[in-house]
Amino acid sequence: MSSVDRLSSLLERFHVRAHLFHAGPLCGTTRFAAREGRGFLHVLRRGEMVVTHASGAGVPRRIVVKEPSLLFYPRPLAHNFRNAPVEGSDFVCATLDFDGGDAHPLARALPPLICIALREVDGLEQAIALLFAETTQLQCGHRLLADRLFEVVLIQLLRWLLDHPQQGDAPVGLLAGLGDPRLARALTAVHDRPGEAWTLERMAREAGMSRSSFAYRFKSVVGDTPADYLATWRLTIAQAELRNGASVKTIAHLLGYANASALSRLFTQRLGLSPRDWLAARA
Protein backbone atom coordinates (compact mmCIF):
# COMPACT_ATOMS: atom_id res chain seq x y z
CA MET A 1 0.00 0.00 0.00
CA SER A 2 1.41 3.41 -0.96
CA SER A 3 2.39 5.89 1.75
CA VAL A 4 1.50 8.91 -0.41
CA ASP A 5 -1.93 10.45 -0.99
CA ARG A 6 -2.58 9.51 -4.60
CA LEU A 7 -6.13 10.88 -4.91
CA SER A 8 -6.48 14.24 -3.16
CA SER A 9 -4.57 16.40 -5.64
CA LEU A 10 -6.41 14.77 -8.55
CA LEU A 11 -9.89 15.22 -7.09
CA GLU A 12 -9.20 18.70 -5.72
CA ARG A 13 -8.10 19.90 -9.13
CA PHE A 14 -10.61 17.87 -11.19
CA HIS A 15 -13.85 17.50 -9.28
CA VAL A 16 -16.44 14.76 -9.53
CA ARG A 17 -19.93 15.77 -8.39
CA ALA A 18 -22.57 13.19 -7.52
CA HIS A 19 -26.31 13.81 -7.76
CA LEU A 20 -28.84 11.35 -6.34
CA PHE A 21 -31.66 10.78 -8.82
CA HIS A 22 -33.27 7.52 -7.73
CA ALA A 23 -33.89 5.54 -4.55
CA GLY A 24 -36.17 2.54 -4.27
CA PRO A 25 -37.64 -0.01 -6.67
CA LEU A 26 -37.43 0.00 -10.46
CA CYS A 27 -40.17 -1.51 -12.56
CA GLY A 28 -39.59 -3.59 -15.69
CA THR A 29 -36.71 -2.30 -17.81
CA THR A 30 -35.03 0.99 -16.95
CA ARG A 31 -32.79 2.65 -19.52
CA PHE A 32 -29.91 5.00 -18.73
CA ALA A 33 -28.77 7.05 -21.70
CA ALA A 34 -25.18 8.14 -22.35
CA ARG A 35 -24.54 11.84 -21.96
CA GLU A 36 -21.23 13.64 -22.51
CA GLY A 37 -19.24 14.16 -19.33
CA ARG A 38 -21.60 12.06 -17.24
CA GLY A 39 -21.09 8.77 -15.46
CA PHE A 40 -23.24 6.71 -13.12
CA LEU A 41 -22.87 5.08 -9.73
CA HIS A 42 -25.47 2.46 -8.76
CA VAL A 43 -25.63 0.61 -5.45
CA LEU A 44 -27.68 -2.58 -5.06
CA ARG A 45 -28.00 -3.55 -1.38
CA ARG A 46 -30.39 -6.49 -1.73
CA GLY A 47 -31.89 -8.58 -4.51
CA GLU A 48 -30.81 -9.46 -8.02
CA MET A 49 -31.00 -7.83 -11.44
CA VAL A 50 -29.82 -8.12 -15.04
CA VAL A 51 -27.70 -5.39 -16.66
CA THR A 52 -27.49 -5.16 -20.45
CA HIS A 53 -25.41 -3.10 -22.87
CA ALA A 54 -25.35 -2.64 -26.62
CA SER A 55 -22.95 -4.82 -28.58
CA GLY A 56 -19.61 -3.21 -29.32
CA ALA A 57 -19.65 -1.11 -26.13
CA GLY A 58 -16.48 -2.70 -24.80
CA VAL A 59 -18.30 -4.37 -21.88
CA PRO A 60 -20.27 -7.63 -21.56
CA ARG A 61 -23.67 -7.45 -23.26
CA ARG A 62 -25.35 -9.08 -20.25
CA ILE A 63 -24.38 -9.18 -16.58
CA VAL A 64 -26.41 -10.94 -13.87
CA VAL A 65 -25.92 -9.26 -10.48
CA LYS A 66 -26.81 -11.75 -7.75
CA GLU A 67 -25.45 -10.12 -4.58
CA PRO A 68 -25.11 -6.63 -3.06
CA SER A 69 -22.97 -4.79 -5.58
CA LEU A 70 -21.77 -1.47 -6.85
CA LEU A 71 -21.82 -0.56 -10.54
CA PHE A 72 -19.61 2.35 -11.59
CA TYR A 73 -19.69 3.84 -15.10
CA PRO A 74 -16.94 6.50 -15.22
CA ARG A 75 -17.70 7.51 -18.81
CA PRO A 76 -20.90 7.87 -20.84
CA LEU A 77 -22.23 4.39 -21.61
CA ALA A 78 -25.87 3.50 -22.21
CA HIS A 79 -27.11 0.63 -20.06
CA ASN A 80 -30.37 -1.07 -19.08
CA PHE A 81 -31.54 -2.67 -15.85
CA ARG A 82 -34.07 -5.48 -15.86
CA ASN A 83 -35.78 -7.11 -12.89
CA ALA A 84 -34.31 -4.63 -10.42
CA PRO A 85 -35.58 -4.79 -6.80
CA VAL A 86 -39.31 -4.10 -6.50
CA GLU A 87 -39.63 -3.79 -2.73
CA GLY A 88 -38.03 -1.34 -0.33
CA SER A 89 -35.18 1.11 -0.87
CA ASP A 90 -32.60 -1.49 -1.78
CA PHE A 91 -31.36 0.32 -4.86
CA VAL A 92 -29.96 3.86 -5.22
CA CYS A 93 -28.53 5.66 -8.24
CA ALA A 94 -26.51 8.82 -8.77
CA THR A 95 -25.19 10.61 -11.81
CA LEU A 96 -21.52 11.62 -11.74
CA ASP A 97 -20.45 14.85 -13.45
CA PHE A 98 -16.72 14.89 -14.19
CA ASP A 99 -14.93 18.21 -14.61
CA GLY A 100 -13.71 18.27 -18.19
CA GLY A 101 -15.94 15.35 -19.18
CA ASP A 102 -14.04 12.50 -20.82
CA ALA A 103 -10.81 14.51 -20.39
CA HIS A 104 -11.02 14.06 -16.61
CA PRO A 105 -7.84 12.13 -15.71
CA LEU A 106 -9.61 9.44 -13.70
CA ALA A 107 -12.54 9.04 -16.09
CA ARG A 108 -10.00 8.58 -18.87
CA ALA A 109 -7.94 6.05 -16.89
CA LEU A 110 -10.69 3.74 -15.65
CA PRO A 111 -12.29 0.84 -17.51
CA PRO A 112 -15.77 1.59 -18.92
CA LEU A 113 -17.53 -0.39 -16.18
CA ILE A 114 -16.59 -1.56 -12.72
CA CYS A 115 -19.05 -4.05 -11.22
CA ILE A 116 -17.95 -5.25 -7.82
CA ALA A 117 -19.53 -6.92 -4.80
CA LEU A 118 -19.86 -4.62 -1.80
CA ARG A 119 -18.19 -7.23 0.41
CA GLU A 120 -14.99 -6.86 -1.61
CA VAL A 121 -14.42 -3.18 -0.76
CA ASP A 122 -13.18 -2.58 2.77
CA GLY A 123 -14.74 0.34 4.62
CA LEU A 124 -17.87 0.71 2.51
CA GLU A 125 -20.34 -0.60 5.09
CA GLN A 126 -20.76 2.59 7.14
CA ALA A 127 -21.03 4.92 4.16
CA ILE A 128 -23.55 2.62 2.44
CA ALA A 129 -25.64 2.39 5.62
CA LEU A 130 -25.69 6.18 5.97
CA LEU A 131 -26.50 6.58 2.27
CA PHE A 132 -29.54 4.33 2.45
CA ALA A 133 -30.66 5.92 5.71
CA GLU A 134 -30.69 9.33 4.03
CA THR A 135 -32.63 8.08 1.00
CA THR A 136 -35.37 6.34 2.99
CA GLN A 137 -36.59 9.34 5.00
CA LEU A 138 -37.34 12.95 4.21
CA GLN A 139 -35.25 15.28 6.36
CA CYS A 140 -33.83 18.73 5.82
CA GLY A 141 -30.85 18.49 3.47
CA HIS A 142 -31.27 14.77 2.85
CA ARG A 143 -30.66 15.07 -0.89
CA LEU A 144 -27.54 17.17 -0.43
CA LEU A 145 -26.20 14.78 2.18
CA ALA A 146 -26.97 11.79 -0.06
CA ASP A 147 -24.96 13.46 -2.86
CA ARG A 148 -21.97 13.88 -0.55
CA LEU A 149 -22.28 10.29 0.68
CA PHE A 150 -22.22 9.05 -2.92
CA GLU A 151 -18.97 10.99 -3.34
CA VAL A 152 -17.60 9.32 -0.19
CA VAL A 153 -18.51 5.91 -1.64
CA LEU A 154 -16.77 6.84 -4.90
CA ILE A 155 -13.57 7.90 -3.12
CA GLN A 156 -13.56 4.70 -1.08
CA LEU A 157 -13.99 2.69 -4.28
CA LEU A 158 -11.16 4.56 -6.01
CA ARG A 159 -8.93 4.06 -2.98
CA TRP A 160 -9.65 0.34 -3.08
CA LEU A 161 -8.95 0.16 -6.82
CA LEU A 162 -5.56 1.81 -6.30
CA ASP A 163 -4.69 -0.76 -3.65
CA HIS A 164 -6.05 -3.70 -5.69
CA PRO A 165 -5.29 -2.83 -9.35
CA GLN A 166 -5.41 -6.46 -10.47
CA GLN A 167 -8.97 -6.87 -9.16
CA GLY A 168 -10.23 -3.63 -10.66
CA ASP A 169 -9.00 -4.70 -14.11
CA ALA A 170 -7.24 -1.36 -14.54
CA PRO A 171 -5.83 -0.94 -18.06
CA VAL A 172 -2.39 0.48 -18.76
CA GLY A 173 -2.56 4.13 -17.73
CA LEU A 174 -2.81 6.50 -14.79
CA LEU A 175 -4.66 4.15 -12.42
CA ALA A 176 -2.14 1.39 -13.01
CA GLY A 177 0.67 3.88 -12.42
CA LEU A 178 -0.85 5.08 -9.15
CA GLY A 179 -1.20 1.45 -8.11
CA ASP A 180 2.57 1.00 -8.41
CA PRO A 181 4.16 2.16 -5.12
CA ARG A 182 7.30 3.58 -6.73
CA LEU A 183 5.69 5.19 -9.76
CA ALA A 184 2.96 6.59 -7.51
CA ARG A 185 5.50 8.72 -5.67
CA ALA A 186 6.66 10.35 -8.89
CA LEU A 187 3.15 10.74 -10.33
CA THR A 188 1.80 12.29 -7.14
CA ALA A 189 4.70 14.74 -7.00
CA VAL A 190 4.02 15.81 -10.59
CA HIS A 191 0.29 16.11 -9.88
CA ASP A 192 0.93 18.20 -6.77
CA ARG A 193 3.57 20.49 -8.32
CA PRO A 194 3.04 20.60 -12.10
CA GLY A 195 4.89 23.88 -12.52
CA GLU A 196 8.25 22.67 -11.24
CA ALA A 197 11.14 21.85 -13.55
CA TRP A 198 10.54 18.13 -13.92
CA THR A 199 13.24 16.14 -15.68
CA LEU A 200 13.53 12.39 -16.14
CA GLU A 201 16.28 12.32 -13.54
CA ARG A 202 14.21 14.22 -10.99
CA MET A 203 11.12 12.04 -11.49
CA ALA A 204 13.24 8.91 -11.16
CA ARG A 205 14.69 10.28 -7.93
CA GLU A 206 11.16 10.80 -6.55
CA ALA A 207 10.44 7.15 -7.36
CA GLY A 208 13.73 5.96 -5.85
CA MET A 209 14.80 4.38 -9.14
CA SER A 210 17.53 4.75 -11.71
CA ARG A 211 16.70 6.80 -14.80
CA SER A 212 16.67 3.83 -17.15
CA SER A 213 14.64 1.57 -14.83
CA PHE A 214 12.15 4.36 -14.16
CA ALA A 215 11.74 5.25 -17.83
CA TYR A 216 11.16 1.62 -18.80
CA ARG A 217 8.71 0.86 -15.99
CA PHE A 218 6.83 4.14 -16.46
CA LYS A 219 6.29 3.46 -20.16
CA SER A 220 5.26 -0.15 -19.48
CA VAL A 221 2.75 0.66 -16.74
CA VAL A 222 1.44 4.13 -17.63
CA GLY A 223 1.66 3.80 -21.41
CA ASP A 224 3.45 7.13 -22.00
CA THR A 225 7.01 8.28 -21.55
CA PRO A 226 7.50 10.46 -18.45
CA ALA A 227 7.95 13.54 -20.66
CA ASP A 228 4.77 12.82 -22.64
CA TYR A 229 2.80 12.22 -19.45
CA LEU A 230 4.04 15.50 -17.96
CA ALA A 231 3.03 17.40 -21.12
CA THR A 232 -0.42 15.74 -21.12
CA TRP A 233 -0.94 16.52 -17.43
CA ARG A 234 -0.01 20.16 -17.95
CA LEU A 235 -2.26 20.36 -21.00
CA THR A 236 -5.18 18.91 -19.02
CA ILE A 237 -4.66 21.49 -16.28
CA ALA A 238 -4.36 24.28 -18.85
CA GLN A 239 -7.67 23.26 -20.46
CA ALA A 240 -9.39 23.25 -17.06
CA GLU A 241 -7.97 26.68 -16.19
CA LEU A 242 -9.04 28.10 -19.54
CA ARG A 243 -12.59 26.85 -18.97
CA ASN A 244 -12.49 28.60 -15.58
CA GLY A 245 -11.55 31.92 -17.20
CA ALA A 246 -7.81 32.14 -16.46
CA SER A 247 -5.59 33.94 -18.96
CA VAL A 248 -3.01 32.10 -21.06
CA LYS A 249 -0.24 34.11 -19.41
CA THR A 250 -1.42 33.18 -15.91
CA ILE A 251 -1.69 29.52 -16.83
CA ALA A 252 1.75 29.49 -18.42
CA HIS A 253 3.23 30.86 -15.19
CA LEU A 254 1.30 28.29 -13.11
CA LEU A 255 2.67 25.42 -15.20
CA GLY A 256 6.27 26.59 -15.26
CA TYR A 257 6.45 27.78 -18.86
CA ALA A 258 8.65 30.76 -19.65
CA ASN A 259 5.86 32.63 -21.42
CA ALA A 260 2.44 32.31 -23.01
CA SER A 261 4.00 31.38 -26.36
CA ALA A 262 5.53 28.23 -24.89
CA LEU A 263 2.11 27.10 -23.65
CA SER A 264 0.56 27.95 -27.02
CA ARG A 265 3.11 25.71 -28.73
CA LEU A 266 2.04 22.80 -26.50
CA PHE A 267 -1.60 23.33 -27.52
CA THR A 268 -0.69 23.54 -31.21
CA GLN A 269 1.50 20.41 -31.08
CA ARG A 270 -1.08 18.33 -29.21
CA LEU A 271 -4.42 19.72 -30.41
CA GLY A 272 -3.67 21.63 -33.60
CA LEU A 273 -5.20 24.77 -32.08
CA SER A 274 -4.03 27.74 -30.05
CA PRO A 275 -5.44 28.01 -26.49
CA ARG A 276 -7.87 30.74 -27.56
CA ASP A 277 -9.01 28.81 -30.64
CA TRP A 278 -9.47 25.69 -28.52
CA LEU A 279 -11.59 27.59 -26.01
CA ALA A 280 -13.65 29.17 -28.79
CA ALA A 281 -14.28 25.74 -30.31
CA ARG A 282 -15.40 24.41 -26.92
CA ALA A 283 -17.79 27.31 -26.51
Side-chain angles (χ1 to χ4, degrees), residues 32-42 53-54 56-59 72-79 95-98 100-104 106-108 110-113:
F32 301 90
R35 175 177 166 184
E36 184 179 356
R38 173 159 290 179
F40 287 93
L41 185 59
H42 307 288
H53 309 94
V59 295
F72 174 34
Y73 293 86
R75 294 186 295 280
L77 180 64
H79 52 287
T95 57
L96 300 172
D97 292 322
F98 290 84
D102 290 353
H104 189 288
L106 286 174
R108 200 168 53 204
L110 289 161
L113 167 63

Coordinates of all heavy atoms in Angstrom, one line a residue, residues 32-42 53-54 56-59 72-79 95-98 100-104 106-108 110-113:
F32 N -30.7 3.9 -19.1 CA -29.9 5.0 -18.7 C -29.1 5.4 -20.0 O -28.3 4.7 -20.5 CB -29.0 4.6 -17.6 CG -29.7 4.2 -16.3 CD1 -30.0 2.8 -16.2 CD2 -30.1 5.1 -15.4 CE1 -30.7 2.4 -15.0 CE2 -30.8 4.7 -14.2 CZ -31.1 3.3 -14.1
A33 N -29.4 6.6 -20.5 CA -28.8 7.0 -21.7 C -27.4 7.6 -21.4 O -27.1 8.1 -20.3 CB -29.6 8.1 -22.4
A34 N -26.5 7.5 -22.4 CA -25.2 8.1 -22.4 C -25.3 9.6 -22.6 O -26.0 10.1 -23.5 CB -24.3 7.5 -23.4
R35 N -24.6 10.4 -21.8 CA -24.5 11.8 -22.0 C -23.1 12.3 -21.7 O -22.5 11.9 -20.8 CB -25.5 12.5 -21.0 CG -25.4 14.0 -21.0 CD -26.5 14.6 -20.0 NE -26.2 16.0 -19.8 CZ -26.9 16.8 -18.9 NH1 -27.9 16.3 -18.2 NH2 -26.6 18.0 -18.8
E36 N -22.6 13.2 -22.6 CA -21.2 13.6 -22.5 C -20.9 14.2 -21.1 O -21.6 15.0 -20.5 CB -21.0 14.7 -23.5 CG -19.5 15.2 -23.6 CD -19.3 16.3 -24.6 OE1 -20.2 16.6 -25.4 OE2 -18.1 16.7 -24.7
G37 N -19.7 13.7 -20.6 CA -19.2 14.2 -19.3 C -19.9 13.6 -18.1 O -19.6 13.9 -17.0
R38 N -20.8 12.6 -18.3 CA -21.6 12.1 -17.2 C -21.4 10.6 -17.1 O -21.4 9.8 -18.0 CB -23.1 12.3 -17.5 CG -24.0 11.7 -16.4 CD -25.3 12.4 -16.4 NE -25.2 13.7 -15.8 CZ -26.2 14.5 -15.6 NH1 -27.4 14.2 -16.1 NH2 -26.0 15.7 -15.1
G39 N -21.2 10.2 -15.8 CA -21.1 8.8 -15.5 C -22.2 8.4 -14.5 O -23.1 9.2 -14.2
F40 N -22.2 7.2 -14.0 CA -23.2 6.7 -13.1 C -22.6 5.9 -12.0 O -21.6 5.2 -12.2 CB -24.3 5.8 -13.8 CG -25.2 6.6 -14.7 CD1 -24.9 6.8 -16.1 CD2 -26.4 7.1 -14.3 CE1 -25.8 7.5 -16.9 CE2 -27.3 7.8 -15.1 CZ -27.0 8.0 -16.4
L41 N -23.2 5.9 -10.8 CA -22.9 5.1 -9.7 C -24.2 4.5 -9.2 O -25.1 5.2 -8.7 CB -22.1 5.9 -8.7 CG -21.6 5.1 -7.5 CD1 -20.6 4.1 -7.9 CD2 -20.9 6.1 -6.5
H42 N -24.3 3.2 -9.2 CA -25.5 2.5 -8.8 C -25.1 1.6 -7.6 O -24.0 0.9 -7.7 CB -26.1 1.6 -9.9 CG -26.4 2.3 -11.1 ND1 -27.4 3.3 -11.3 CD2 -25.8 2.3 -12.4 CE1 -27.4 3.7 -12.5 NE2 -26.5 3.1 -13.2
H53 N -26.1 -4.2 -22.1 CA -25.4 -3.1 -22.9 C -25.5 -3.4 -24.4 O -25.7 -4.6 -24.7 CB -23.9 -3.0 -22.5 CG -23.7 -2.8 -21.0 ND1 -23.4 -3.9 -20.2 CD2 -23.7 -1.8 -20.2 CE1 -23.2 -3.5 -19.0 NE2 -23.4 -2.2 -18.9
A54 N -25.4 -2.4 -25.2 CA -25.3 -2.6 -26.6 C -24.1 -3.4 -27.0 O -23.0 -3.3 -26.3 CB -25.4 -1.3 -27.4
G56 N -20.7 -4.1 -28.9 CA -19.6 -3.2 -29.3 C -19.3 -2.1 -28.3 O -18.5 -1.2 -28.6
A57 N -19.9 -2.2 -27.1 CA -19.7 -1.1 -26.1 C -18.4 -1.3 -25.3 O -18.0 -0.5 -24.5 CB -20.9 -1.0 -25.2
G58 N -17.7 -2.4 -25.5 CA -16.5 -2.7 -24.8 C -16.7 -3.3 -23.4 O -15.8 -3.4 -22.6
V59 N -18.0 -3.7 -23.1 CA -18.3 -4.4 -21.9 C -19.2 -5.6 -22.2 O -19.7 -5.6 -23.3 CB -19.0 -3.4 -20.9 CG1 -18.1 -2.3 -20.5 CG2 -20.3 -2.9 -21.6
F72 N -20.2 1.0 -11.4 CA -19.6 2.3 -11.6 C -19.3 2.5 -13.1 O -18.5 1.7 -13.6 CB -18.3 2.5 -10.7 CG -17.5 3.7 -11.0 CD1 -18.2 4.9 -11.3 CD2 -16.2 3.7 -10.8 CE1 -17.4 6.1 -11.5 CE2 -15.4 4.8 -11.0 CZ -16.0 6.0 -11.3
Y73 N -20.0 3.5 -13.7 CA -19.7 3.8 -15.1 C -19.0 5.2 -15.1 O -19.6 6.2 -15.0 CB -21.0 3.9 -15.9 CG -21.8 2.7 -16.1 CD1 -22.6 2.2 -15.1 CD2 -21.6 1.9 -17.2 CE1 -23.3 1.0 -15.3 CE2 -22.3 0.7 -17.4 CZ -23.2 0.3 -16.4 OH -23.9 -0.9 -16.6
P74 N -17.7 5.2 -15.3 CA -16.9 6.5 -15.2 C -17.1 7.4 -16.5 O -16.8 8.6 -16.4 CB -15.5 6.1 -15.0 CG -15.4 4.7 -15.6 CD -16.7 4.1 -15.4
R75 N -17.5 6.8 -17.6 CA -17.7 7.5 -18.8 C -19.1 7.2 -19.4 O -19.8 6.3 -19.0 CB -16.6 7.1 -19.8 CG -15.2 7.5 -19.4 CD -14.2 7.2 -20.5 NE -14.1 5.8 -20.8 CZ -13.4 4.9 -20.1 NH1 -12.8 5.3 -19.1 NH2 -13.3 3.6 -20.5
P76 N -19.6 8.1 -20.3 CA -20.9 7.9 -20.8 C -21.0 6.5 -21.5 O -20.2 6.1 -22.4 CB -21.0 9.0 -21.9 CG -20.1 10.0 -21.5 CD -18.9 9.3 -20.8
L77 N -22.0 5.7 -21.1 CA -22.2 4.4 -21.6 C -23.7 4.0 -21.3 O -24.1 3.9 -20.2 CB -21.3 3.4 -21.0 CG -21.4 1.9 -21.5 CD1 -21.1 1.8 -23.0 CD2 -20.6 1.0 -20.7
A78 N -24.5 3.9 -22.4 CA -25.9 3.5 -22.2 C -26.0 2.1 -21.6 O -25.2 1.2 -22.0 CB -26.6 3.6 -23.5
H79 N -26.9 1.9 -20.7 CA -27.1 0.6 -20.1 C -28.5 0.5 -19.6 O -29.3 1.5 -19.4 CB -26.1 0.4 -18.9 CG -26.1 1.5 -17.9 ND1 -25.6 2.7 -18.1 CD2 -26.6 1.6 -16.6 CE1 -25.7 3.5 -17.0 NE2 -26.4 2.8 -16.1
T95 N -26.0 10.2 -10.7 CA -25.2 10.6 -11.8 C -23.9 11.2 -11.3 O -23.8 11.7 -10.2 CB -25.9 11.7 -12.7 OG1 -26.2 12.8 -11.9 CG2 -27.1 11.1 -13.3
L96 N -22.8 11.1 -12.1 CA -21.5 11.6 -11.7 C -21.1 12.6 -12.8 O -21.0 12.2 -14.0 CB -20.5 10.5 -11.6 CG -20.8 9.4 -10.6 CD1 -19.7 8.3 -10.7 CD2 -20.7 10.0 -9.2
D97 N -20.9 13.8 -12.5 CA -20.5 14.8 -13.4 C -19.0 15.1 -13.2 O -18.5 15.6 -12.2 CB -21.2 16.1 -13.3 CG -22.7 16.0 -13.7 OD1 -22.9 15.3 -14.7 OD2 -23.6 16.5 -13.0
F98 N -18.2 14.8 -14.3 CA -16.7 14.9 -14.2 C -16.3 16.2 -14.8 O -16.6 16.5 -15.9 CB -16.1 13.7 -15.0 CG -16.2 12.4 -14.3 CD1 -17.3 11.6 -14.5 CD2 -15.2 11.9 -13.5 CE1 -17.5 10.4 -13.9 CE2 -15.3 10.6 -12.9 CZ -16.5 9.9 -13.1
G100 N -14.4 18.5 -17.0 CA -13.7 18.3 -18.2 C -14.3 17.1 -19.0 O -13.7 16.7 -20.0
G101 N -15.3 16.5 -18.5 CA -15.9 15.4 -19.2 C -15.0 14.2 -19.3 O -14.3 13.8 -18.4
D102 N -14.9 13.7 -20.6 CA -14.0 12.5 -20.8 C -12.6 12.8 -20.7 O -11.7 11.9 -20.6 CB -14.3 12.0 -22.2 CG -15.7 11.3 -22.4 OD1 -16.3 11.2 -21.3 OD2 -16.0 11.0 -23.5
A103 N -12.2 14.1 -20.6 CA -10.8 14.5 -20.4 C -10.4 14.4 -18.9 O -9.2 14.6 -18.6 CB -10.6 15.9 -20.9
H104 N -11.4 14.2 -18.0 CA -11.0 14.1 -16.6 C -10.0 12.9 -16.5 O -10.2 11.8 -17.0 CB -12.3 13.8 -15.8 CG -12.1 13.8 -14.3 ND1 -11.4 12.8 -13.6 CD2 -12.5 14.7 -13.4 CE1 -11.4 13.1 -12.4 NE2 -12.1 14.2 -12.2
L106 N -9.2 10.7 -14.2 CA -9.6 9.4 -13.7 C -10.6 8.8 -14.6 O -10.6 7.6 -14.8 CB -10.2 9.6 -12.3 CG -9.2 9.8 -11.2 CD1 -9.8 10.1 -9.9 CD2 -8.2 8.6 -11.0
A107 N -11.6 9.6 -15.2 CA -12.5 9.0 -16.1 C -11.8 8.4 -17.3 O -12.3 7.4 -17.8 CB -13.5 10.1 -16.5
R108 N -10.8 9.1 -17.7 CA -10.0 8.6 -18.9 C -9.2 7.3 -18.5 O -9.0 6.5 -19.4 CB -9.0 9.7 -19.3 CG -8.5 9.6 -20.7 CD -7.8 10.9 -21.0 NE -6.8 11.3 -20.1 CZ -6.4 12.6 -19.9 NH1 -6.9 13.6 -20.6 NH2 -5.5 12.8 -19.0
L110 N -10.0 4.9 -16.2 CA -10.7 3.7 -15.6 C -11.3 2.9 -16.8 O -11.6 3.4 -17.9 CB -11.8 4.2 -14.7 CG -11.4 4.8 -13.4 CD1 -12.5 5.6 -12.8 CD2 -11.0 3.7 -12.4
P111 N -11.5 1.6 -16.5 CA -12.3 0.8 -17.5 C -13.7 1.4 -17.6 O -14.2 2.1 -16.8 CB -12.2 -0.6 -16.9 CG -12.0 -0.4 -15.5 CD -11.2 0.9 -15.3
P112 N -14.4 1.0 -18.7 CA -15.8 1.6 -18.9 C -16.8 1.2 -17.9 O -17.8 1.9 -17.7 CB -16.2 1.1 -20.3 CG -15.3 -0.1 -20.6 CD -14.0 0.2 -19.8
L113 N -16.6 0.1 -17.2 CA -17.5 -0.4 -16.2 C -16.8 -1.1 -15.1 O -15.9 -2.0 -15.4 CB -18.6 -1.3 -16.8 CG -19.5 -2.1 -15.8 CD1 -20.3 -1.2 -14.9 CD2 -20.3 -3.1 -16.5

